[in-house]
Every structure is written in C-alpha cells, then in structure tokens.
Amino acid sequence: MDALRAQDPPRIGGYVLLARIGAGGMGVVYLGRSPGGRLVAVKVVREEITGHPEALARFRREAETVRAVRSAYTANLIDAGLDAAPYWIATEYVAGPTLARAVRERGPFPGVTCRRLVAAMAEGLASVHAYGVTHRDLKPQNVLLGSQGPQLIDFGIARGVEQTALTQDGQAPGTPGFTAPEVLTRNEVGAAADVFALGATVAYAATGRAPFGGGDAAAVSYRAVHEEIDTDGVEPGLAALIRACVEKDPARRPGPAELIRWCAVDTALVDDPAYQPLVAMADVVPDTPQRPPNAPALAIHDLPTQGPPPSPQPPPSRTNPWLVAAGVGAVVGIAVATAVWLLPGSGNGGEGGDKSEGPPGYIQDIGTSRHAWNGLRESCNLPGEEQPPLQFQYAVTTGENDPSGEIALGKAEIGYRLKNEEPNLPPYYVSVEVKPPHLLDTDDFGYVSKATDLYEGDETRWKNLVYPDDFSDRAGGKVRPAPPLADDPGEWTVVYHHATSDKNHRSVVCHGFMADTVSE
C-alpha cells in the first residue's frame, strides 16, 4: 500500500481515499472509506483510456460480473459509477497479501497447507461457476489470503462460459503459465480452464517456482501446451493432484467437487498453522489520507490480465532475439492469434539491427521515439510498446520537490525497480530515455542512460539515475552530454525501454516531470 500522489483525487463518489493499493494497465485501485467508516477497494479507470470503447466495455463487464457473483470467496460489489468519467467500482476491502507475495516473502507452503488451499479455491471456483461465469485469469496475483479464507479477485476478463476466449484483437486472455492449452490453441474457454489455472497456482505455492518455467512468454506457453508442469520436490500425492488439474485434455481434469473430495481436508485453511501468519502480512490501514507533501511521482505497473497472449510456438534459441509473427498463423496445425515478442539475449535485431554480441550498452535511435508527456494531464500521448514486468515501479523526483533535500536543484533522480521479485527470470535490460521539451513535437531521440539488468543484484532495491549526470546523446558514435534542466524549462518526458541490443528495444513505460528555470 502506497501513499496517494499529488494528482490523486481526495474522494471518489462518496468515498474518502486513504491510500493507493496498486495500479495496472486499466487503472488505479485505492483504499477508500465510506461515510459510515466502511473500508472499500475503489478501482478507477485511467483517464487516458476512458475514451477507448473496449476498455470501458471490459470495465463495465467486470462491474456486472462482480455484482452478479455473490460468493464467500469473492469481494462483493458495494457501489459503482459507470455513467460518466471518472468511471469506478467499489468492492469489499480484503485485508491480506496476495498468494504471490506470501510465497515470495515466506517461501513455499507445506503440502498439507497446499491441500487445504486447493479445497478452498475449488470451493470458490464452484461458487463462481454456479453463476455461469469463468474467471479466466486465476493466478497467484489474483488470490488474496484473507482472514476468512482465500478470495478470488480481478474479474476484468471473466465472462459467461458460453462466450469465446478471443478478445477484440483476436487474442486469448490470461497469463502465460496459467492459461490452459485449449485456450491457447483452440480458443476454448470453460470451467476446466479455471481448474488448469488452479493447478498451476498451487504448483507455484508448493514450489515457489513458475509452474512452467520462466523466460519469454511464448516459450512459457509452449511448455504449458506440450510439456509437464514443474513439481520437483513436491510430495507424491500433492504432485499427482496438481498434474491431474493441468492435464492437457480438459475432459480429463477433475471438477471442483472432485478436487474437494480428493483433498479430504478435516481442518479449514484459516485454521492452518502455516496460513494464519500469512494473514498478518496485510498492510496497515491508515486512519487518514496518506498524501505526503512533495512526494515523488510513483506508479506500480502489473502485467495486465488482458494483454497480448503468446502463441504456443517452440521457444527460439538465444541467438535469435526475435519471435516474429503477425495476424493469425497456423501453429501445431491449429490457427491461433500471434504477436511480436522480444526475447532476452543479443543478435541480429532485424533490418539495420545491431549484430554485436553481449548485453546492450547505450540504446540508439531506431525511429520509434514519439512519446511526449503532458504535464497538465499527467499522461503521455502514447502507451508503451510492450507491457513492463510484473510489479515494475518507477519514480521521478526533481531537486525542487525532493523533501529530503538530497537531490541538487536543477537535477532529477529517475529510479526503477521490481516491488517484489519474480522467480527464475532471464536478464531484462532497462535503458531510460529523457526528452527535453523542445523535442516533444519531433521524432528525435532523447538522451539515454546505460542499459542495466533489472534482475541483477537485489531486484527489490531501487536503481537510481541522476539527470543530466548519467545521460548522454551517442548518435553518430560521438558522446554528447545531456543539457541541464534549466536550459529547457517545461514538460520533460521519461521513457523506460526494454533493450535486447543497442538497436533492438521497445518502450514499456512513459512518464514525465516539470522543470522550471532554476540556478544550478
């Protein structure tokens, strides 16, 4: 839970906002308090996508789904504002960590706890399915460990069981490693796909590892379609249960009721001695709105629940950094939606690409620098070209609004990190581009920092850069230092790039800050 930012509203509807719970591709989730003192989670659609018909349709669908599903295993809808911007929904606030956070911070669960988790989650799925709804994105990040038991959250892509899996872009929903093979290869969505996701989720809880390994999204989905789930070190009985859930043929997977019988639990999960300490990991709820003066602009970005899913193609070697496809292609004899996915490593980045070996150093202009930040709207004119890693955070603080006084006037500190570590991931190089105001109406490249591996060292510690000290222009083989902020007052743009070589990079986050004329 983070403090409110300066641009966050003081209230939404009748709810006073106390803090930020998190943020993602669709919007921001706040902790709110009703006039009578009830705590709620308020999800607000981002202003920059309120004019996007599909985004609003998805948000309204989520509201209707949560309204319809009244379960002990879901946070019930309390209120909503869906007629005019800002669009928002308020649900019950569940105090407790996500399953992903609990495993990251406390380690894998004991086998008996995993069985109780399976039984509780299967009961939750049975309740949801009884309303004719499939979740479609069950994963550790969407399971809250509350005092009353696990809660299923984020119904942003949930739909009726009779509806198809494809989005408006012809691509399947879900998250690589938790999406069932039939969804990836045949666009078939049903209750059995949720059981597959349950098995993968429990495999993560039992091992602390990604269920089908890490790496490129397409490679992970290929393994989910063709290879066995990782149950190394899991006790045989629990491993057999997990493997049954993730059978490639959905007809062979047990249903929720059968899973409950299989687990044969005699004690509720909430009474499990390993579960009870996890509930205590819940964030402390503030009594008053948390809005520190001159706070740096900080945002959290989770992998979206409805993003471009990968095609289940064989994973390419690290000497080929591209997995290129377009439109709909035939894969394993079946037509599926495909997309472009950058892979870690080095090599030929396509036409005019950098053929040098080794990790990227300073990224170069490849004609894609069109981002421009609007300080009035606190947003950029273009979204990122690919999604950032899970729980990627970034912050920009200038010397003028640094409450600590540690940043000199006329300079800016630009930082990024992962809030929580994701296991078994390959190198992910980040280079930051800073564009002065005079470049905002052009396609010209800005000043860049040296690429750094996001996962190198302690991933959860901030990697901080200072502008202009750590930035330069390296066009034409010449190194030109970045100009001071005072030379170009106004709206500066900051773009975070995922780089696989100097000439092979894609933007993942665009942000910015205001710079005034100041003395150095």
Side-chain angles (χ1 to χ4, degrees), residues 269-405:
L269 180 62
V270 294
D271 295 324
D272 187 290
Y275 182 85
Q276 293 172 338
L278 303 178
V279 178
M281 294 172 60
D283 291 323
V284 176
V285 175
D287 296 325
T288 58
Q290 302 298 292
R291 195 188 300 270
N294 300 320
L298 176 65
I300 302 173
H301 293 262
D302 290 339
L303 287 174
T305 55
Q306 182 176 335
S311 302
Q313 298 186 10
S317 67
R318 290 180 62 88
T319 58
N320 178 6
W322 292 96
L323 171 62
V324 182
V328 177
V331 180
V332 293
I334 303 171
V336 296
T338 56
V340 177
W341 294 91
L342 286 174
L343 301 182
S346 60
N348 189 349
E351 184 178 351
D354 177 14
K355 298 181 181 180
S356 62
E357 295 296 327
Y362 291 89
I363 61 174
Q364 301 175 26
D365 185 3
I366 56 175
T368 61
S369 183
R370 300 183 180 90
H371 295 281
W373 186 69
N374 184 310
L376 181 63
R377 294 188 60 199
E378 289 281 344
S379 64
C380 287
N381 64 327
L382 294 175
E385 297 169 292
E386 68 175 67
Q387 291 293 335
L390 186 67
Q391 300 199 51
F392 180 78
Q393 289 185 322
Y394 57 89
V396 178
T397 307
T398 64
E400 290 69 44
N401 66 15
D402 174 28
S404 70

Side-chain angles (χ1 to χ4, degrees), residues 117-136:
L117 178 65
V118 170
M121 291 175 60
E123 192 168 86
L125 284 182
S127 177
V128 170
H129 294 167
Y131 287 90
V133 171
T134 53
H135 189 285
R136 299 192 180 200

Side-chain angles (χ1 to χ4, degrees), residues 142-193:
N142 285 343
V143 178
L144 285 175
L145 304 182
S147 59
Q148 303 301 312
Q151 300 278 303
L152 306 179
I153 62 170
D154 198 346
F155 282 82
I157 59 175
R159 296 194 182 188
V161 294
E162 76 284 354
Q163 294 174 292
T164 64
L166 292 183
T167 68
Q168 81 281 5
D169 297 321
Q171 296 176 346
T175 299
F178 299 90
T179 303
E182 68 272 16
V183 178
L184 293 168
T185 61
R186 300 191 298 276
N187 305 322
E188 293 180 1
V189 169

